[in-house]
Amino acid sequence: MALVATGVSAGLVARHGGAGAPAQTAPSPYREAVVAPQRPLILDPLLARSDPASRDLSALLNCALLRLNSRVVPVPDLASTWGVSGDGLTYRFQLTPGRLWSDGSPITPADAVATVALVQRLDFPDRTLASTWKNVTVAPTGDGTITMTLPSPRASFAVAVADLPILPASIATLSTPQLVATAHQAMPASGPLLVRSSDQRKVELIPNLHAALRPRLTGVELRLEPDFMSAARDLATGQADGVLATNPAQRAALATLKGTRLHDQVTLRFVDLLLNTRTPGLGDPVVRRALAAAVDRRALINTALDGQGRAQMDAIPAGIDWLGSGGGEQPNPVLASRALDAAGYVADLRTGMRARGAIRLDFTLAVPDAPPLPAVARELARQMAAIGVSATVVIVPADRFPGTVVLSAGYQMAIADWDNGADPDVSAFWRSNATPPGGFNVSGLSPDPFLDHALDSLATQLDPQLRAEAAQQVDQRLAEAVPAVFLYAPMVSFAVTDAIAGVVVPDAGTPAARYSGIAAWWRSP
């Protein structure tokens, strides 16, 4: 969850060994223009997580014990079966017999054990990933079985397993400095493709002959571009067959290209309007509830996002839809105005802005300079003005926004874009003890033991029905307290030329999910 080396020689030998790439050059039938400000791409999937382009690439090269299906539910990948004990502490994974790395060597439990041990090292650089695996005990138990034991139940653990690409033990047991020094070097792959070559300009991939599903494509080329406009130009001029758009303006630019299809996907992120309850006026739940009632999400999505978003009324990201829908929105600015009238917030006859004594409903609305969020803020300010609440939009540099605005609670209102991940556990955002730096609860609400209990149930219950009931309780408590108004789940769009057939993109997931069915793609005549 987040707001949006030495010893080179040994590492080079280990990574190159068994990549299995032939020396000859052949034209790639699928070419994608990828926005990659950091080049060359990182090829170690455990060190690639902070760079979107490198992380997406790893989905083509590396498998985990589990994967997320089209409904964002964990299902077997390298494992053939898996299960969890009744107390939620012990997970068992049975490796699929006969699975091989691209160099022909077997994939074994030792690879999984070594991978987990790697991320548990004190010097492993990705501390967020390391925290997910803290105090997890992993051991092979014979017959290709791996046992993982947790110190306490955690319902999101299966998603964490799906988010951990397995490395060959020969790589995972290298020292951390060696791994960092050779992170741009190819290694044996377990996914449908492997790296033939990689440099500052492109990454060339060829089929992994030992993959569980061999791709119909004979090759893939990722053209590395510094920005979206360069990538879009590649698609427009026929130098690329695909491009990913990550915001509505980018999608609109790609939609004008003839012979191109757009595949829209809801992300696992969510955008909300944070309300700092320490602020005079916003400390009143009547005001916060009036703001929630006044927000018209459909108008917001159509106006600020060109229709590219899924309305979200509750705390659980709309992209995680297996819990069921929370129902449609019913904006009611008239009712919101009446509630403010009844609470004594009187509208000024000249300005229309409300006040009660010295408390004026006149706030600043901070937003990062990251499209389309400024447009979202302006539309929200317009909707608030209709009920007599003034919101002055303040645009903050995106790199400064998390620290100086959100985590420091240096805001009155703020628009934030969060990456929740694939599990509905939202404890990090709303549990009473999840204040920075241990979480993202920055609203200033008083501790709510009933909300905490519901969050704990959502975080620990394994039964889907019980989790759904816990999620409903979380939504009810947050709807009463209104520390934030939940707005929408952002979307991404994958543009592909008609020359590439068989492309099916899941309705929801991470941007890398666009590759989930790449084994079935082909270039049509």
Side-chain angles (χ1 to χ4, degrees):
M1 300 178 182
L3 192 50
V4 179
T6 60
V8 176
S9 178
L12 285 170
V13 172
R15 288 186 186 274
H16 279 303
Q24 68 270 22
T25 301
S28 298
Y30 172 70
R31 303 157 301 167
E32 183 173 331
V34 176
V35 178
Q38 302 177 35
R39 293 174 283 175
L41 296 188
I42 299 172
L43 302 182
D44 185 323
L46 299 184
L47 301 179
R49 299 164 62 87
S50 63
D51 176 49
S54 297
R55 183 163 185 168
D56 288 358
L57 169 63
S58 70
L60 296 170
L61 307 175
N62 308 103
C63 295
L65 293 174
L66 304 177
R67 63 179 176 84
L68 300 179
N69 68 8
S70 59
R71 299 189 65 231
V72 200
V73 175
V75 296
D77 194 3
L78 289 177
S80 58
T81 60
W82 68 288
V84 57
S85 60
D87 60 6
L89 297 179
T90 303
Y91 288 72
R92 290 183 176 85
F93 305 90
Q94 177 72 48
L95 282 181
T96 302
R99 291 291 294 269
L100 302 175
W101 296 105
S102 57
D103 63 0
S105 61
I107 299 175
T108 70
D111 299 319
V113 173
T115 299
V116 174
L118 166 59
V119 300
Q120 291 178 330
R121 294 178 191 170
L122 294 178
D123 64 347
F124 184 72
D126 188 335
R127 301 316 302 164
T128 301
L129 177 59
S131 66
T132 302
W133 291 89
K134 185 178 181 180
N135 297 326
V136 176
T137 302
V138 183
T141 53
D143 299 325
T145 302
I146 303 154
T147 298
M148 299 186 180
T149 304
L150 281 61
S152 58
R154 185 172 12 131
S156 63
F157 184 66
V159 168
V161 172
D163 195 37
L164 184 73
I166 300 301
L167 303 186
S170 60
I171 302 293
T173 52
L174 294 173
S175 71
T176 302
Q178 286 177 315
L179 291 168
V180 172
T182 60
H184 300 285
Q185 303 296 325
M187 66 175 69
S190 55
L193 297 156
L194 60 86
V195 176
R196 179 189 176 276
S197 66
S198 175
D199 57 31
Q200 296 278 350
R201 298 177 299 108
K202 63 183 178 181
V203 180
E204 292 182 324
L205 307 173
I206 58 175
N208 174 7
L209 302 183
H210 295 293
L213 291 174
R214 285 183 56 183
R216 299 175 64 179
L217 297 169
T218 58
V220 170
E221 178 182 297
L222 302 181
R223 299 170 58 90
L224 308 183
E225 297 290 3
D227 51 49
F228 172 77
M229 292 307 299
S230 299
R233 189 178 304 113
D234 288 345
L235 183 62
T237 58
Q239 298 180 74
D241 301 305
V243 170
L244 182 72
T246 59
N247 64 51
Q250 293 178 358
R251 185 190 188 279
L254 298 180
T256 63
L257 301 180
K258 294 182 179 180
T260 300
R261 289 161 290 131
L262 284 168
H263 301 266
D264 296 327
Q265 181 187 64
V266 179
T267 69
L268 306 178
R269 293 154 38 208
F270 69 91
V271 173
D272 63 1
L273 170 65
L274 290 171
L275 305 174
N276 191 336
T277 62
R278 309 169 190 85
T279 303
L282 293 179
D284 187 341
V286 172
V287 174
R288 301 198 301 272
R289 290 169 191 157
L291 292 172
V295 170
D296 186 334
R297 294 168 182 81
R298 182 46 50 193
L300 174 70
I301 290 170
N302 288 337
T303 301
L305 306 178
D306 196 23
Q308 294 304 298
R310 181 179 292 179
Q312 179 172 323
M313 278 62 68
D314 304 315
I316 309 302
I320 305 175
D321 61 358
W322 59 264
L323 281 175
S325 172
E329 70 167 343
Q330 296 179 328
N332 198 329
V334 173
L335 186 62
S337 293
R338 289 175 180 171
L340 292 174
D341 287 337
Y345 294 97
V346 180
D348 184 278
L349 294 178
R350 294 179 299 102
T351 65
M353 186 182 67
R354 294 179 180 271
R356 187 177 69 184
I359 299 177
R360 295 161 55 87
L361 301 189
D362 181 9
F363 309 108
T364 56
L365 173 54
V367 61
D369 188 12
L373 296 183
V376 170
R378 288 189 287 270
E379 171 60 18
L380 278 179
R382 185 193 68 78
Q383 294 185 11
M384 290 185 223
I387 64 169
V389 178
S390 175
T392 301
V393 176
V394 178
I395 299 177
V396 180
D399 59 341
R400 292 177 46 211
F401 185 80
T404 62
V405 175
V406 175
L407 298 181
S408 65
Y411 67 94
Q412 295 180 342
M413 297 179 178
I415 302 291
D417 184 338
W418 304 93
D419 186 350
N420 183 78
D423 190 84
D425 178 10
V426 291
S427 302
F429 301 104
W430 307 116
R431 205 181 191 289
S432 298
N433 64 354
T435 54
F440 305 105
N441 187 346
V442 295
S443 65
L445 278 179
S446 300
D448 181 346
F450 298 102
L451 174 59
D452 288 347
H453 177 74
L455 287 165
D456 291 344
S457 295
L458 182 59
T460 58
Q461 290 287 356
L462 297 177
D463 180 85
Q465 181 58 41
L466 294 178
R467 296 201 82 191
E469 293 173 2
Q472 291 176 359
Q473 294 173 18
V474 168
D475 290 336
Q476 290 170 1
R477 298 301 300 182
L478 289 174
E480 294 173 6
V482 200
V485 180
F486 304 101
L487 302 174
Y488 66 93
M491 299 179 74
V492 296
S493 300
F494 185 39
V496 186
T497 64
D498 292 337
I500 304 299
V503 178
V504 177
V505 175
D507 291 336
T510 66
R514 68 188 185 273
Y515 297 135
S516 61
I518 197 170
W521 298 7
W522 76 93
R523 181 176 286 278
S524 60

